[in-house]
Structures are given as C-alpha cells and as structure tokens.
C-alpha cells in the first residue's frame, strides 16, 4: 500500500467523519434528527432491501470496472426517481413483488456470474432501483424532515453497496469466485422467500 | 435558444422560485452571533451539500479551476449575503437551493471536462443565490452582519479545504469515490424535490 493511497484513504475517512454527524444532530427544530435516523435505518430494517443492495455490490465486483462503480452510481439516482414518485404519492403497482424480484434477479446474476454489457447491467439494476426507492419514499414518517430522511437513506443504500463490493473483492482470492457465487445463491433464496410472501 | 428550451428554462426557474419550507435555520450556540453564523452553514444541509459538490467539482478540474472557482464563489456569496441582509426578504427558495446542489451533484457524477469559466460561472450563480438567502436569514433572525461574517468564514474554510482535497483526489480510485458522492448528492436532490412537491406541501 503506497503512502499516497494511505493519505488519500485517511483524508477521505476524516472528511466523512467530519461531515457526517453535522447533518443530523445539531438542530433545535424537530424532525431533522428523526428524519435522518429514519432514513438511515430504513434500508437496513428490511432484509429484502439489504439482499438486493449487497447483491448490486457482489455483481459489480464480478463484472469489474467500469461496472464496479457505474452500478452504484446509477442505482441511487434512479432509486431517487422512484422515491420521488413515492413522496409525491404517485402509486406504483407491485412494489413488494418488484423488490423481491430484484433480489431474485440479482442473486441469479451473481450465481450464474452473468456478464452482460454495461448498458444491460445498468438498465437491470436501474429498473429494480425504482421499486426500492418508491418503498422508501412512501414510508417517510410523519413529522420527519424529507431532506434529512433522503440524506439518511441515500447514505445507507450507498454503504450497503460498498459492503457488497467489499465482500465481492473476495472474487480476486483463490476459491473467491465460488464463495461469491454461493453468497449470490443465498440472495437468490432469500429473494424467492420474499417473493413467495409478497405474492401470498 | 429554441422555444422548447426557453419554455423548459422558464418552467425550471419558475419552479425554483416557489417559496418553500425553511430548511435553513439558526442554532443558538450561546457564543454570540459570529458563532451562530458559523454553525448555520453546518446545520443547513442544502448549503453544505452545495459547498461540497462545488468544491469537489472545481477541485477535480485541477488547481487553476479550483482556485478560480473558490475566489468567485466566496466573493459571490459575500455579495449575495450583503444584498440579502439589506433587502431581508422573508422567503426561502427551497426548490431553487435544491436544484443547485442536484445539478452540481449530477455534474460531479457525470465528470465531463468543462472549461474553467463554466465551473466559475456555476460558482457565481450558487454563491449569489445561497449567499442572498443566508443574508436574508441573518437579517430576519437578528444575527445581522456579524452572523453573516461567521457564515462566510465557515464557507471560505470549508470550500477551501474541500477544493484542496479534491485536487489531490483527481487521480485513481479517489476520483471514482468523488463521482459516487456526486450521484448521492443528485439522489438527495431528486428526493428533496419530491418532498417539496408532495401533496399537501
């Protein structure tokens, strides 16, 4: 590891640490802290969301650059469009089914180590991102700040992707591809369970 | 400019000018108006997001663009702030401030080469708008010129640090991290617009 890499990593971490709490805690008005915490916990409070988010990271790690970073760039933006629909009260049919299907589809991609072109991979991820965003958007708690809720759930989603990518780096190790495909299998099974629940 | 572009521009500007809910607000630090002004920047998410996005965008374009944009945004924020302080309009253009950080976040995520003049012009617009609203709030909340000076000091320090960091992050994986941060800022902006235009807002 070079010094430049170390310094950059330290600077990035220090900046994030400096900025992070300032969004949430230093307010006298009500709703900001509650909104931020609700947003931050919402994506990790549902296993169906978690499975799909980490699977995006797994798949990105299998696909390598540029998908490795293009998918986590595309996902939050399209998810936000879904969230905007939810916040504005515009209904989207089959949200729960869409979320479950996202885990099934992304898990299957990881199990099969599918390597479509970047546009197809990005389109698939973006399509499912709308359902996740809509669910987040419709579940903004009463009285919470929409801005801080949004900040919270975008950060949480991004960190889940990062966790998926970090685990996905096992792909570069001996037996790593098998381990990653097995993890994709767990996502697929979990997705099927949530799909069964959503339909039933 | 075609009619369609003109109509779209007018619609965006019109939407941006709709007065919204006050997300910017003041914290009483107990240390006086200067420190209240400093804290104001850090607890006003649209201001922080716009400073982060602009600083990263300018820094990624290199030291020359970084320095130019930094100078422009600080001067523009000061001019806007003094104007807002003098006029003290009781409005908060929440949609406009949201559009600014959304657009800067998108520019950051896309990461296309743009001339220094364009980035500096973005800094000019952002500085005038956010500075004006800061000045207006400093006037209506009673912290006045001293509070505005605190806010400007915080802005100058934050913008300088972020721009300088971004210059060092322009190569390799850190550039990708910055682009991902841009997509997060864009996403927050899109969601914020949804919240501003939700039924019953």
């Amino acid at each position: 590891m070079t010094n430049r890499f170390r310094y950059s990593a330290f600077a990035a971490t220090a900046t994030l640490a400096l900025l992070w709490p300032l969004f949430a805690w230093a307010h006298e008005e009500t709703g900001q802290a509650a909104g931020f915490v609700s947003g931050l916990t919402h994506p990790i409070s549902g296993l169906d969301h978690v499975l799909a988010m980490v699977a995006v990271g797994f798949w990105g790690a299998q696909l390598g650059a540029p998908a490795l970073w293009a998918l986590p760039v595309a996902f939050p933006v399209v998810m936000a469009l879904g969230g905007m629909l939810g916040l504005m009260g515009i209904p989207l049919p089959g949200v729960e089914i869409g979320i479950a299907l996202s885990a099934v589809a992304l898990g299957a991609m990881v199990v099969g180590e599918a390597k479509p072109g970047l546009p197809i991979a990005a389109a698939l991820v973006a399509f499912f991102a709308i359902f996740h965003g809509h669910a987040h958007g419709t579940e903004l708690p009463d009285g919470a700040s929409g801005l801080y809720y949004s900040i919270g759930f975008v950060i949480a989603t991004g960190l889940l992707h990062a966790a998926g990518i970090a685990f996905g780096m096992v792909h570069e190790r001996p037996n790593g591809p098998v381990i990653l495909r097995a993890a994709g299998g767990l996502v697929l099974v979990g997705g099927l369970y949530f799909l069964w629940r959503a339909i039933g | 400019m075609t009619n369609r572009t003109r109509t779209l521009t007018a619609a965006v500007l019109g939407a941006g000018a709709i007065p919204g809910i006050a997300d910017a607000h003041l914290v009483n630090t107990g240390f006086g108006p200067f420190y209240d002004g400093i804290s104001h920047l850090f607890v006003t998410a649209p201001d922080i997001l716009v400073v982060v996005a602009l600083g990263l965008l300018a820094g990624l374009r290199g030291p020359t663009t970084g320095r130019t944009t930094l100078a422009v945004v600080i001067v523009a924020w000061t001019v806007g702030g003094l104007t807002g302080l003098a006029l003290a309009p009781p409005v908060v253009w929440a949609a406009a401030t949201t559009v600014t950080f959304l657009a800067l976040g998108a520019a950051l995520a896309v990461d296309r080469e743009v001339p220094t003049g364009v980035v500096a012009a973005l800094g000019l617009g952002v500085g005038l708008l956010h500075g004006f609203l800061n000045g207006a709030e400093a006037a209506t909340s009673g912290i006045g010129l001293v509070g505005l000076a605190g806010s400007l000091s915080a802005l100058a320090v934050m913008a300088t640090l972020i721009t300088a960091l971004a210059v060092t992050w322009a190569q390799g994986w850190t550039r990708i991290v910055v682009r991902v941060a841009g997509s997060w800022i864009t996403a927050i902006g899109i969601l914020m617009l949804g919240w501003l235009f939700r039924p019953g807002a």
Side-chain angles (χ1 to χ4, degrees), chain A residues 47-136:
Chain A
L47 187 59
D48 47 352
H49 287 299
V50 173
L51 289 174
M53 299 301 104
V54 295
V56 170
F58 293 170
W59 199 27
Q62 278 182 337
L63 291 169
L68 178 64
W69 56 266
L71 298 186
V73 165
F75 192 96
V77 175
V78 183
M79 179 188 71
L81 291 171
M84 187 166 81
L85 297 178
L87 285 164
M88 294 172 78
I90 298 169
L92 183 67
V95 170
E96 290 305 319
I97 292 173
I99 291 169
L101 273 176
S102 70
V104 172
L106 291 167
M109 293 296 147
V110 177
V111 169
E113 215 165 332
K115 294 197 172 173
L118 179 60
I120 293 173
L124 184 70
V125 165
F127 172 71
F128 287 121
I130 293 176
F131 295 102
H132 288 269
H134 193 276
H136 295 319

Side-chain angles (χ1 to χ4, degrees), chain B:
Chain B
M1 192 184 277
T2 63
N3 281 340
R4 198 173 164 190
T5 314
R6 223 175 270 138
T7 309
L8 184 65
T9 308
V12 169
L13 291 176
I18 296 170
I21 302 159
D23 284 301
H25 46 267
L26 286 163
V27 170
N28 187 347
T29 60
F31 294 110
F34 185 80
Y35 292 94
D36 291 349
I38 289 176
S39 70
H40 176 255
L41 182 79
F42 295 108
V43 297
T44 309
D47 284 353
I48 272 288
L49 289 172
V50 92
V51 171
V52 169
L54 185 65
L56 293 175
L57 182 67
L60 281 194
R61 305 268 79 80
T64 305
T65 306
R67 286 190 203 103
T68 308
T69 307
L70 200 51
V72 168
V73 76
I74 293 171
V75 170
W77 203 294
T78 307
V79 171
L82 291 172
T83 310
L85 195 63
L87 300 177
V91 292
V92 177
W93 295 321
T97 54
T98 301
V99 168
T100 56
F101 73 74
L102 189 162
L104 287 171
L108 198 54
V110 171
D111 193 25
R112 290 279 177 263
E113 274 302 324
V114 280
T116 298
V118 173
V119 183
L122 287 171
L124 177 69
V126 161
L128 287 173
L129 174 67
H130 286 253
F132 180 77
L133 296 173
N134 269 221
E137 192 166 8
T140 52
S141 66
I143 62 170
L145 187 61
V146 178
L148 181 63
S151 180
L152 285 167
S153 305
L155 162 79
V157 171
M158 280 295 294
T160 306
L161 285 174
I162 291 166
T163 307
L165 279 172
V167 169
T168 69
W169 291 348
Q171 302 297 327
W173 68 272
T174 46
R175 191 178 188 102
I176 293 170
V177 170
V178 171
R179 293 184 67 177
V180 172
S183 75
W184 289 16
I185 293 170
T186 308
I188 291 164
I190 293 169
L191 287 162
M192 182 63 186
L193 284 181
W195 192 62
L196 287 172
F197 294 105
R198 71 195 185 283

